[in-house]
Amino acid sequence: ILFSQVIGFIYGYITEQFGWTVYIVMAGFALSCLLTLPPWPMYRRNPLKWLPVQESGTEEKKSADRKPKRHAKS
């Protein structure tokens, strides 16, 4: 996206047409979306291992074990 912004700005400055700058930046954005958004097989070769899902009961137990904080008197 940054590369297309630089190219679009330079080309638009030379031709003195802001519309061309916008078109080039939009084309760069569309190209970057096409390359990154679909689940391409090359990106799925080494999937990340996520942490297992914890039960919601453990969070309630931890919050019940905490002592309430006392506020300092002013």
Side-chain angles (χ1 to χ4, degrees):
I1 294 173
L2 182 63
F3 181 71
S4 69
Q5 289 175 346
V6 171
I7 298 297
F9 178 77
I10 292 171
Y11 186 76
Y13 184 77
I14 291 171
T15 61
E16 298 179 0
Q17 293 289 323
F18 184 70
W20 279 105
T21 302
V22 173
Y23 292 144
I24 292 172
V25 170
M26 288 173 49
F29 179 75
L31 180 65
S32 66
C33 286
L34 181 67
L35 292 175
T36 57
L37 290 180
W40 298 106
M42 61 185 166
Y43 297 139
R44 300 184 70 167
R45 286 184 188 156
N46 300 317
L48 295 174
K49 293 183 180 179
W50 296 91
L51 293 174
V53 177
Q54 295 180 352
E55 295 180 16
S56 63
T58 58
E59 292 176 9
E60 293 172 3
K61 185 178 180 182
K62 288 181 183 178
S63 64
D65 292 340
R66 294 183 188 164
K67 293 181 181 178
K69 294 182 181 180
R70 293 186 178 183
H71 297 289
K73 294 182 180 179
S74 42

